[in-house]
Amino acid sequence: MNRNEQKVIDECMDWFDFDRVHQAMTLLDWKWGMDDNASVPEKADLRETARKYIRMAIDGRCTTGSGGFEATAHFDEYGVLEGVTLRFILTDWYADTEV
C-alpha cells in the first residue's frame, strides 16, 4: 500500500459516520450473519468491514461491497488513485431500457 492509498483510506475511515450507520442498523434490526448467530454488528465490526471493502475496491480497481456497504475506487486515466467513495445504502434500484 502506498502513501496515497493510505491517505484516502484514513480520511474515509476518519470522516465516515459509522455512528449513524450503527444507529440505522439498530433501529431497523439489520443483522449480519446467519441463523442464531445473526446480530446487529458493533461499530468496530462496521469499521473493519468498511476498511476491507475499501481495500478490495482499490486493489481490484472496482466497486465492491455487501451488507449495506459499497466502496468505489476512482482512478485517473493513468491508473493513479484519485479517491474512494464509501456508502451505506439502505435501498437502491436500477431499471434499464431493455425488455
Side-chain angles (χ1 to χ4, degrees), residues 91-96:
T91 185
D92 194 20
W93 183 260
Y94 172 80
D96 63 27

Side-chain angles (χ1 to χ4, degrees), residues 18 21-22 25 32 41-50 69:
F18 289 99
V21 171
H22 186 260
M25 291 183 80
W32 286 354
E42 298 295 325
K43 285 184 248 183
D45 298 320
L46 295 173
R47 294 179 63 79
E48 181 181 339
T49 300
F69 281 113

Side-chain angles (χ1 to χ4, degrees), residues 75-86:
F75 294 88
D76 69 13
E77 65 270 16
Y78 303 105
V80 176
L81 181 67
E82 292 182 319
V84 296
T85 301
L86 179 63

Side-chain angles (χ1 to χ4, degrees), residues 12-77:
C12 200
M13 295 301 295
D14 288 347
W15 290 97
F16 189 81
D17 195 346
F18 289 99
D19 289 330
R20 191 172 190 188
V21 171
H22 186 260
Q23 185 178 39
M25 291 183 80
T26 300
L27 179 69
L28 296 171
D29 197 29
W30 185 330
K31 297 176 181 176
W32 286 354
M34 300 189 68
D35 303 322
D36 292 338
N37 294 324
S39 62
V40 175
E42 298 295 325
K43 285 184 248 183
D45 298 320
L46 295 173
R47 294 179 63 79
E48 181 181 339
T49 300
R51 185 180 298 276
K52 176 183 80 172
Y53 286 132
I54 293 169
R55 180 85 254 151
M56 288 172 63
I58 292 170
D59 291 344
R61 297 176 178 264
C62 63
T63 296
T64 189
S66 182
F69 281 113
E70 177 185 270
T72 303
H74 308 278
F75 294 88
D76 69 13
E77 65 270 16

